[in-house]
Amino acid sequence: MEMEIKKMAKSGNREACKILAKQLVQLRKQKNRTYAVSSKVTSMSTQTKVMNSQMKMAGAMSATAKTMQAVNKKMDPQKTLQTMQDFQKENMKMGMTEDMINDTLDEIFDESGDEEESQDIVNQVLDEIGIEISGKMVRAPAAGKNLPTASPKRKTQISDDEIERQLRALGVD
């Protein structure tokens, strides 16, 4: 269009230049209006999408609220608290009962003389292999005092015959 205006201006046709210039101005205005309308249409499309998303969110929130209401109607806080307190009370009772049973069983087994019988068996086994514990314990050194030191020259070795003799005395073949 600008080229035609230049051609008309070179040929000296002023009226045609004015008309073409008006058309050029109108064309530019129309182009700007088209851009404006296009951007408004795009904006409206975006707004429509946002509104659609908001409607879906509102629907989801509504469904969640209804679900929460239904749960709250079915779940009585006072009843739940009472149930939890009852559970705690019964759990404590069960713990006390278990402690009482364990204490009673411990008393029964302690009174049966198992300790004395165990000590008698240990003494018998030690007597069989030739160790007298009662007399030697009195002469045993106290912990940490006068402990004998090991010398590298003295090595105590027990022969195989001695080990076998002690095993036979214990009844192990």
Short mmCIF file of all heavy atoms in Angstrom, two decimals, residues 4-46:
data_model
loop_
_atom_site.label_atom_id
_atom_site.label_comp_id
_atom_site.label_asym_id
_atom_site.label_seq_id
_atom_site.Cartn_x
_atom_site.Cartn_y
_atom_site.Cartn_z
N GLU A 4 2.25 1.87 -3.42
CA GLU A 4 1.31 2.50 -4.34
C GLU A 4 1.21 3.98 -4.06
O GLU A 4 1.10 4.80 -4.98
CB GLU A 4 -0.08 1.85 -4.20
CG GLU A 4 -0.18 0.57 -4.99
CD GLU A 4 -1.62 0.08 -5.06
OE1 GLU A 4 -2.52 0.88 -5.36
OE2 GLU A 4 -1.79 -1.11 -4.80
N ILE A 5 1.25 4.35 -2.77
CA ILE A 5 1.19 5.78 -2.41
C ILE A 5 2.42 6.48 -3.00
O ILE A 5 2.31 7.59 -3.55
CB ILE A 5 1.13 5.96 -0.87
CG1 ILE A 5 -0.19 5.43 -0.33
CG2 ILE A 5 1.30 7.41 -0.49
CD1 ILE A 5 -0.31 5.42 1.18
N LYS A 6 3.59 5.84 -2.94
CA LYS A 6 4.81 6.42 -3.49
C LYS A 6 4.70 6.56 -5.02
O LYS A 6 5.10 7.58 -5.60
CB LYS A 6 6.02 5.58 -3.12
CG LYS A 6 6.43 5.71 -1.67
CD LYS A 6 7.65 4.84 -1.37
CE LYS A 6 7.99 4.89 0.11
NZ LYS A 6 9.13 4.07 0.44
N LYS A 7 4.14 5.56 -5.67
CA LYS A 7 3.96 5.62 -7.13
C LYS A 7 3.05 6.79 -7.50
O LYS A 7 3.30 7.54 -8.45
CB LYS A 7 3.35 4.33 -7.67
CG LYS A 7 4.32 3.22 -7.83
CD LYS A 7 3.56 2.04 -8.45
CE LYS A 7 4.40 0.80 -8.42
NZ LYS A 7 3.66 -0.34 -8.99
N MET A 8 1.93 6.93 -6.78
CA MET A 8 0.98 8.00 -7.07
C MET A 8 1.61 9.36 -6.80
O MET A 8 1.36 10.34 -7.53
CB MET A 8 -0.29 7.87 -6.22
CG MET A 8 -1.09 6.67 -6.54
SD MET A 8 -1.78 6.87 -8.17
CE MET A 8 -2.31 5.26 -8.50
N ALA A 9 2.42 9.43 -5.75
CA ALA A 9 3.09 10.70 -5.42
C ALA A 9 4.07 11.06 -6.53
O ALA A 9 4.20 12.24 -6.90
CB ALA A 9 3.79 10.59 -4.08
N LYS A 10 4.78 10.09 -7.11
CA LYS A 10 5.74 10.35 -8.18
C LYS A 10 5.01 10.80 -9.45
O LYS A 10 5.49 11.62 -10.22
CB LYS A 10 6.57 9.09 -8.47
CG LYS A 10 7.65 8.84 -7.48
CD LYS A 10 8.45 7.61 -7.88
CE LYS A 10 9.48 7.27 -6.83
NZ LYS A 10 10.25 6.11 -7.21
N SER A 11 3.84 10.23 -9.65
CA SER A 11 3.09 10.61 -10.85
C SER A 11 2.35 11.93 -10.66
O SER A 11 1.79 12.48 -11.61
CB SER A 11 2.13 9.51 -11.26
OG SER A 11 1.15 9.34 -10.29
N GLY A 12 2.28 12.47 -9.43
CA GLY A 12 1.68 13.77 -9.17
C GLY A 12 0.20 13.69 -8.87
O GLY A 12 -0.49 14.70 -8.86
N ASN A 13 -0.36 12.53 -8.58
CA ASN A 13 -1.77 12.36 -8.29
C ASN A 13 -1.98 12.48 -6.78
O ASN A 13 -1.89 11.53 -6.03
CB ASN A 13 -2.23 11.00 -8.83
CG ASN A 13 -3.72 10.86 -8.80
OD1 ASN A 13 -4.42 11.73 -8.29
ND2 ASN A 13 -4.20 9.78 -9.37
N ARG A 14 -2.28 13.70 -6.33
CA ARG A 14 -2.41 13.96 -4.90
C ARG A 14 -3.69 13.37 -4.33
O ARG A 14 -3.69 12.90 -3.20
CB ARG A 14 -2.41 15.45 -4.66
CG ARG A 14 -1.03 15.93 -4.28
CD ARG A 14 -1.14 17.37 -3.96
NE ARG A 14 -0.43 18.10 -3.05
CZ ARG A 14 0.36 17.75 -2.08
NH1 ARG A 14 0.58 16.53 -1.84
NH2 ARG A 14 0.97 18.61 -1.33
N GLU A 15 -4.77 13.42 -5.05
CA GLU A 15 -6.06 12.91 -4.55
C GLU A 15 -5.97 11.40 -4.31
O GLU A 15 -6.44 10.92 -3.29
CB GLU A 15 -7.18 13.20 -5.57
CG GLU A 15 -7.67 14.61 -5.59
CD GLU A 15 -8.23 15.04 -4.26
OE1 GLU A 15 -9.03 14.29 -3.62
OE2 GLU A 15 -7.85 16.12 -3.79
N ALA A 16 -5.36 10.69 -5.21
CA ALA A 16 -5.22 9.24 -5.05
C ALA A 16 -4.32 8.94 -3.87
O ALA A 16 -4.54 7.98 -3.11
CB ALA A 16 -4.64 8.62 -6.32
N CYS A 17 -3.29 9.78 -3.64
CA CYS A 17 -2.39 9.59 -2.47
C CYS A 17 -3.17 9.76 -1.18
O CYS A 17 -2.98 8.99 -0.22
CB CYS A 17 -1.26 10.61 -2.51
SG CYS A 17 0.04 10.20 -3.69
N LYS A 18 -4.04 10.76 -1.09
CA LYS A 18 -4.82 11.00 0.12
C LYS A 18 -5.74 9.82 0.41
O LYS A 18 -5.87 9.37 1.54
CB LYS A 18 -5.65 12.28 0.00
CG LYS A 18 -4.84 13.54 0.11
CD LYS A 18 -5.78 14.75 0.02
CE LYS A 18 -4.98 16.02 0.12
NZ LYS A 18 -5.82 17.21 0.04
N ILE A 19 -6.40 9.32 -0.65
CA ILE A 19 -7.33 8.20 -0.48
C ILE A 19 -6.57 6.96 -0.03
O ILE A 19 -6.99 6.26 0.90
CB ILE A 19 -8.11 7.94 -1.79
CG1 ILE A 19 -9.04 9.11 -2.09
CG2 ILE A 19 -8.90 6.65 -1.70
CD1 ILE A 19 -9.72 9.03 -3.45
N LEU A 20 -5.45 6.69 -0.67
CA LEU A 20 -4.65 5.52 -0.28
C LEU A 20 -4.09 5.68 1.14
O LEU A 20 -4.02 4.71 1.91
CB LEU A 20 -3.52 5.29 -1.28
CG LEU A 20 -3.93 4.74 -2.64
CD1 LEU A 20 -2.72 4.68 -3.57
CD2 LEU A 20 -4.55 3.36 -2.50
N ALA A 21 -3.71 6.89 1.51
CA ALA A 21 -3.19 7.13 2.86
C ALA A 21 -4.29 6.88 3.89
O ALA A 21 -4.04 6.29 4.97
CB ALA A 21 -2.65 8.55 2.98
N LYS A 22 -5.52 7.32 3.61
CA LYS A 22 -6.64 7.07 4.53
C LYS A 22 -6.88 5.56 4.66
O LYS A 22 -7.13 5.05 5.75
CB LYS A 22 -7.92 7.77 4.04
CG LYS A 22 -7.93 9.24 4.28
CD LYS A 22 -9.27 9.83 3.81
CE LYS A 22 -9.30 11.33 4.01
NZ LYS A 22 -10.54 11.94 3.59
N GLN A 23 -6.83 4.88 3.54
CA GLN A 23 -7.02 3.42 3.57
C GLN A 23 -5.90 2.75 4.40
O GLN A 23 -6.17 1.81 5.14
CB GLN A 23 -7.04 2.86 2.14
CG GLN A 23 -8.30 3.12 1.40
CD GLN A 23 -8.25 2.53 -0.02
OE1 GLN A 23 -7.19 2.09 -0.49
NE2 GLN A 23 -9.38 2.57 -0.70
N LEU A 24 -4.67 3.27 4.25
CA LEU A 24 -3.54 2.71 5.02
C LEU A 24 -3.75 2.93 6.52
O LEU A 24 -3.54 2.02 7.33
CB LEU A 24 -2.23 3.34 4.57
CG LEU A 24 -0.97 2.83 5.29
CD1 LEU A 24 -0.75 1.34 5.03
CD2 LEU A 24 0.26 3.61 4.85
N VAL A 25 -4.20 4.11 6.89
CA VAL A 25 -4.46 4.41 8.30
C VAL A 25 -5.58 3.50 8.82
O VAL A 25 -5.49 2.94 9.92
CB VAL A 25 -4.81 5.91 8.49
CG1 VAL A 25 -5.35 6.18 9.89
CG2 VAL A 25 -3.60 6.77 8.21
N GLN A 26 -6.63 3.33 8.04
CA GLN A 26 -7.74 2.47 8.46
C GLN A 26 -7.28 1.01 8.57
O GLN A 26 -7.69 0.28 9.47
CB GLN A 26 -8.91 2.60 7.48
CG GLN A 26 -9.65 3.91 7.60
CD GLN A 26 -10.75 4.04 6.54
OE1 GLN A 26 -10.88 3.19 5.64
NE2 GLN A 26 -11.53 5.10 6.65
N LEU A 27 -6.45 0.59 7.64
CA LEU A 27 -5.92 -0.78 7.66
C LEU A 27 -5.09 -1.03 8.93
O LEU A 27 -5.22 -2.07 9.58
CB LEU A 27 -5.09 -1.04 6.41
CG LEU A 27 -4.56 -2.47 6.23
CD1 LEU A 27 -5.72 -3.46 6.06
CD2 LEU A 27 -3.63 -2.54 5.03
N ARG A 28 -4.24 -0.05 9.27
CA ARG A 28 -3.42 -0.18 10.49
C ARG A 28 -4.31 -0.21 11.74
O ARG A 28 -4.07 -0.98 12.66
CB ARG A 28 -2.41 0.97 10.58
CG ARG A 28 -1.28 0.80 9.59
CD ARG A 28 -0.28 1.92 9.71
NE ARG A 28 0.80 1.74 8.75
CZ ARG A 28 1.69 2.66 8.46
NH1 ARG A 28 1.64 3.85 9.03
NH2 ARG A 28 2.65 2.41 7.59
N LYS A 29 -5.33 0.64 11.77
CA LYS A 29 -6.25 0.65 12.91
C LYS A 29 -6.97 -0.70 13.02
O LYS A 29 -7.15 -1.26 14.10
CB LYS A 29 -7.27 1.78 12.79
CG LYS A 29 -6.71 3.13 13.11
CD LYS A 29 -7.82 4.19 13.01
CE LYS A 29 -7.29 5.57 13.32
NZ LYS A 29 -8.34 6.59 13.22
N GLN A 30 -7.39 -1.23 11.85
CA GLN A 30 -8.08 -2.53 11.83
C GLN A 30 -7.16 -3.64 12.33
O GLN A 30 -7.58 -4.52 13.08
CB GLN A 30 -8.56 -2.84 10.40
CG GLN A 30 -9.36 -4.11 10.29
CD GLN A 30 -10.66 -4.07 11.09
OE1 GLN A 30 -11.30 -3.02 11.22
NE2 GLN A 30 -11.04 -5.20 11.64
N LYS A 31 -5.89 -3.56 11.94
CA LYS A 31 -4.91 -4.56 12.38
C LYS A 31 -4.75 -4.50 13.90
O LYS A 31 -4.75 -5.54 14.58
CB LYS A 31 -3.58 -4.30 11.67
CG LYS A 31 -2.54 -5.36 11.88
CD LYS A 31 -1.29 -5.03 11.06
CE LYS A 31 -0.21 -6.05 11.25
NZ LYS A 31 1.01 -5.71 10.49
N ASN A 32 -4.64 -3.30 14.45
CA ASN A 32 -4.52 -3.13 15.91
C ASN A 32 -5.78 -3.63 16.63
O ASN A 32 -5.70 -4.26 17.68
CB ASN A 32 -4.25 -1.67 16.26
CG ASN A 32 -2.83 -1.24 15.92
OD1 ASN A 32 -1.94 -2.09 15.80
ND2 ASN A 32 -2.62 0.05 15.76
N ARG A 33 -6.94 -3.33 16.05
CA ARG A 33 -8.19 -3.82 16.65
C ARG A 33 -8.25 -5.35 16.62
O ARG A 33 -8.73 -5.97 17.57
CB ARG A 33 -9.40 -3.24 15.91
CG ARG A 33 -9.71 -1.84 16.33
CD ARG A 33 -11.04 -1.37 15.71
NE ARG A 33 -10.72 -0.13 15.00
CZ ARG A 33 -11.16 0.23 13.82
NH1 ARG A 33 -11.98 -0.54 13.16
NH2 ARG A 33 -10.81 1.36 13.29
N THR A 34 -7.77 -5.93 15.53
CA THR A 34 -7.75 -7.40 15.43
C THR A 34 -6.86 -8.00 16.52
O THR A 34 -7.23 -8.98 17.17
CB THR A 34 -7.26 -7.84 14.04
OG1 THR A 34 -8.10 -7.26 13.05
CG2 THR A 34 -7.28 -9.34 13.90
N TYR A 35 -5.69 -7.39 16.74
CA TYR A 35 -4.80 -7.86 17.81
C TYR A 35 -5.47 -7.73 19.19
O TYR A 35 -5.39 -8.62 20.03
CB TYR A 35 -3.48 -7.11 17.81
CG TYR A 35 -2.53 -7.49 16.70
CD1 TYR A 35 -1.79 -6.52 16.03
CD2 TYR A 35 -2.38 -8.82 16.32
CE1 TYR A 35 -0.92 -6.86 15.00
CE2 TYR A 35 -1.50 -9.17 15.30
CZ TYR A 35 -0.78 -8.18 14.65
OH TYR A 35 0.09 -8.53 13.64
N ALA A 36 -6.15 -6.60 19.39
CA ALA A 36 -6.82 -6.36 20.67
C ALA A 36 -7.93 -7.39 20.89
O ALA A 36 -8.07 -7.96 21.98
CB ALA A 36 -7.38 -4.94 20.73
N VAL A 37 -8.72 -7.63 19.86
CA VAL A 37 -9.81 -8.60 19.97
C VAL A 37 -9.24 -10.00 20.21
O VAL A 37 -9.76 -10.77 21.03
CB VAL A 37 -10.71 -8.55 18.72
CG1 VAL A 37 -11.67 -9.72 18.69
CG2 VAL A 37 -11.48 -7.25 18.66
N SER A 38 -8.19 -10.33 19.50
CA SER A 38 -7.57 -11.65 19.67
C SER A 38 -7.07 -11.84 21.09
O SER A 38 -7.28 -12.90 21.71
CB SER A 38 -6.41 -11.79 18.68
OG SER A 38 -5.73 -13.01 18.90
N SER A 39 -6.43 -10.82 21.65
CA SER A 39 -5.95 -10.95 23.02
C SER A 39 -7.11 -11.02 24.01
O SER A 39 -7.04 -11.75 25.01
CB SER A 39 -5.01 -9.79 23.37
OG SER A 39 -5.71 -8.57 23.39
N LYS A 40 -8.20 -10.31 23.74
CA LYS A 40 -9.37 -10.39 24.62
C LYS A 40 -10.00 -11.78 24.56
O LYS A 40 -10.43 -12.32 25.58
CB LYS A 40 -10.40 -9.32 24.24
CG LYS A 40 -9.99 -7.93 24.66
CD LYS A 40 -11.03 -6.88 24.28
CE LYS A 40 -10.54 -5.50 24.65
NZ LYS A 40 -11.49 -4.45 24.28
N VAL A 41 -10.06 -12.36 23.36
CA VAL A 41 -10.60 -13.71 23.22
C VAL A 41 -9.73 -14.72 23.97
O VAL A 41 -10.23 -15.60 24.68
CB VAL A 41 -10.74 -14.10 21.72
CG1 VAL A 41 -11.03 -15.58 21.57
CG2 VAL A 41 -11.83 -13.27 21.06
N THR A 42 -8.42 -14.58 23.87
CA THR A 42 -7.50 -15.46 24.60
C THR A 42 -7.68 -15.29 26.10
O THR A 42 -7.70 -16.27 26.85
CB THR A 42 -6.04 -15.15 24.19
OG1 THR A 42 -5.90 -15.28 22.78
CG2 THR A 42 -5.07 -16.08 24.89
N SER A 43 -7.82 -14.05 26.54
CA SER A 43 -8.03 -13.78 27.96
C SER A 43 -9.33 -14.41 28.45
O SER A 43 -9.39 -15.02 29.52
CB SER A 43 -8.06 -12.27 28.19
OG SER A 43 -8.43 -11.98 29.51
N MET A 44 -10.38 -14.30 27.63
CA MET A 44 -11.66 -14.89 28.02
C MET A 44 -11.56 -16.42 28.08
O MET A 44 -12.14 -17.05 28.96
CB MET A 44 -12.76 -14.46 27.02
CG MET A 44 -13.16 -13.01 27.16
SD MET A 44 -14.29 -12.39 25.90
CE MET A 44 -15.62 -13.54 25.98
N SER A 45 -10.81 -17.00 27.16
CA SER A 45 -10.61 -18.45 27.17
C SER A 45 -9.90 -18.88 28.46
O SER A 45 -10.29 -19.86 29.09
CB SER A 45 -9.79 -18.86 25.94
OG SER A 45 -9.44 -20.22 26.03
N THR A 46 -8.88 -18.12 28.83
CA THR A 46 -8.14 -18.44 30.07
C THR A 46 -9.05 -18.28 31.28
O THR A 46 -9.05 -19.13 32.18
CB THR A 46 -6.90 -17.51 30.20
OG1 THR A 46 -6.10 -17.66 29.03
CG2 THR A 46 -6.10 -17.85 31.42
#
